[in-house]
Amino acid sequence: MGDRDLNKVIVSSPGRINIIGEHTDYNLGYVLPTSIDKRIRFTLKKNNTDTQCEIRSRGYEKALVVDLKHISPSNTQWENYILGVLYEIYKRNKELKGFQCTIESDLPVGSGVSSSAALECGLAFGLNELFDLGLSKLDIVTLSRDAEHNYVGTKCGIMDQFASVMGKKDHLILLDCKSMDYTYVPFFIAPCKLVLLNSNVTHSLADSEYNTRRNECEEGVSILQKKYPFIASLREVNLDMIESCKMAMSLKVLNRCTYVVQENERVLDAVKALEKGDLKTLGSLMYQTHEGLRNLYEVSCPELDFLVDFSKNVDGVLGSRLMGGGFGGCTLNLVHEDMADAFILSVSEAYEKEFHIKLTSFEGLPDMGTTLL
Ligand code: GLA
């Protein structure tokens, strides 16, 4: 450490996958994500100015130039993740000063592996190191989530940021989004592996419908509270309680609440299955999650449904589901490693024939969270 250049840091910040537990985080339930080996790299240097910052991203010619004293939202989405983080940090800590940053990434954008959380958390982590801001890892996670709420406008939960920062090689994180307690679950699934299939579609509904789902769940909670005043979220609810209030709910709200309660159960069942090495049960839970997201939560789309339905007729695929917020991005597939290549080949051909879109695939390997290089 003695030789470290105090004016420069390099940070590597990962994307995330989620084995199960979708749309449960903002309902204060359970999730089972991990960070992966697809990452964003930040090179950050002090520039000895008080408030002038310049951020360059490979692939974008124009640098983002920011004065910390005058931060305001941009019309370019990726810039808002950066601006939001700078705003949230500067609001808390004026030790942040001017810097230069270069960003390089091998994380596919808009594919449901949360390049946005990697961007937010990696920048916050790097600035914390560079300026010795005294932020804890949990501070980095929460301020990055706040950046997304306040600057991007997506009222996301805590999962993506938490997984990106806290991930551990060869492990999943079982996170209780109510207490924020977490445990690392060893993840050894040989002879299977996780294959991500990127549909390469992002439907524009994603952001607005995400916030709508959140509101629908809150509506469900307020109906349930009339009979069960002690509940604060869907986390404290079971299916009998929903049944007893269903006459007061629209079908939509009923379905949303039912999905969330069932999905929380599935996360805990998935952990038990993993502990027993029962990959068949894990795969079946993944299929159930997809059905719930398709029929009850209504965040799927024809492309994702096609990929999941196709997988059901392929030897060696144990489970498949859409991953992340929905309306595009990736499916996560639990596949026997000997059959993985044949599966990718056949599903890619069928998908291109149906939608005239090329599928891309990669393996999801649990890797360490945000780190200094
Ligand atoms: C997005 C959000 C997360 C989570 C997932 C769905 O990735 O950022 O907080 O809600 O969708 O599980």
Side-chain angles (χ1 to χ4, degrees), residues 344-369:
I344 293 169
L345 201 68
S346 60
V347 71
S348 301
E349 269 176 27
Y351 184 74
E352 193 169 348
K353 202 164 157 213
E354 183 79 14
F355 296 104
H356 308 289
I357 302 170
K358 283 220 182 298
L359 200 62
T360 37
S361 66
F362 55 97
E363 190 178 346
L365 284 176
D367 196 14
M368 66 193 162

Side-chain angles (χ1 to χ4, degrees), residues 16 21-26 148 156-160 210 324-325:
R16 67 97 187 92
E22 225 61 271
H23 290 276
T24 44
D25 58 354
Y26 54 85
E148 194 145 339
C156 62
I158 201 75
M159 169 171 76
D160 300 348
Y210 186 92

Side-chain angles (χ1 to χ4, degrees), residues 7-259:
N7 291 314
K8 177 178 170 184
V9 295
I10 302 178
V11 171
S12 166
S13 185
R16 67 97 187 92
I17 55 174
N18 184 26
I19 305 306
I20 201 156
E22 225 61 271
H23 290 276
T24 44
D25 58 354
Y26 54 85
N27 286 303
L28 304 189
Y30 300 103
V31 289
L32 192 60
T34 175
S35 42
I36 54 169
D37 66 337
K38 297 258 175 297
R39 315 181 69 99
I40 303 182
R41 183 185 164 110
F42 299 77
T43 306
L44 291 145
K45 287 182 204 151
K46 292 182 184 171
N47 65 7
N48 300 319
T49 68
D50 255 4
T51 58
Q52 295 305 308
C53 312
E54 190 182 289
I55 299 106
R56 290 187 176 274
S57 176
R58 265 229 181 127
Y60 291 86
E61 250 171 54
K62 221 173 109 240
L64 168 62
V65 178
V66 191
D67 181 338
L68 292 174
K69 286 206 187 110
H70 304 284
I71 308 174
S72 61
S74 151
N75 293 327
T76 308
Q77 192 69 313
W78 77 268
E79 295 185 350
N80 281 326
Y81 296 111
I82 306 278
L83 294 165
V85 166
L86 295 181
Y87 174 81
E88 294 297 334
I89 296 182
Y90 201 58
K91 191 166 83 179
R92 291 164 169 82
N93 193 326
K94 299 289 182 282
E95 291 304 304
L96 177 64
K97 305 277 184 234
F99 65 90
Q100 271 185 339
C101 171
T102 332
I103 300 172
E104 294 155 272
S105 173
D106 64 3
L107 252 183
V109 172
S111 61
V113 289
S114 208
S115 53
S116 48
L119 197 56
E120 295 152 1
C121 297
L123 179 64
F125 193 99
L127 292 173
N128 186 40
E129 292 293 330
L130 192 62
F131 294 102
D132 207 5
L133 301 177
L135 299 170
S136 68
K137 282 190 171 182
L138 196 59
D139 292 336
I140 291 170
V141 168
T142 51
L143 80 82
S144 298
R145 188 259 333 259
D146 294 348
E148 194 145 339
H149 283 204
N150 300 331
Y151 259 69
V152 182
T154 311
K155 303 286 179 202
C156 62
I158 201 75
M159 169 171 76
D160 300 348
Q161 292 78 9
F162 197 94
S164 185
V165 173
M166 305 297 288
K168 185 170 162 183
K169 195 172 174 17
D170 296 330
H171 288 76
L172 306 175
I173 311 170
L174 171 61
L175 172 65
D176 176 338
C177 300
K178 185 178 174 195
S179 64
M180 294 304 284
D181 287 342
Y182 61 99
T183 46
Y184 289 108
V185 179
F187 189 61
F188 296 104
I189 55 165
C192 284
K193 62 181 186 178
L194 291 176
V195 173
L196 285 121
L197 296 176
N198 188 350
S199 66
N200 287 313
V201 295
T202 322
H203 293 290
S204 57
L205 279 176
D207 290 346
S208 61
E209 287 296 305
Y210 186 92
N211 291 345
T212 304
R213 291 298 170 282
R214 216 182 152 137
N215 293 337
E216 288 162 350
C217 292
E218 277 164 19
E219 192 185 328
V221 170
S222 64
I223 294 170
L224 284 151
Q225 276 170 335
K226 295 205 178 98
K227 182 148 189 206
Y228 304 102
F230 54 89
I231 65 153
S233 69
L234 289 177
R235 165 61 179 280
E236 288 107 65
V237 172
N238 61 39
L239 292 179
D240 290 340
M241 291 159 78
I242 296 180
E243 178 69 27
S244 75
C245 296
K246 77 174 188 195
M247 297 314 280
M249 291 179 186
S250 67
L251 181 61
K252 218 181 238 178
V253 169
L254 173 66
N255 285 345
R256 307 303 191 235
C257 294
T258 304
Y259 164 79

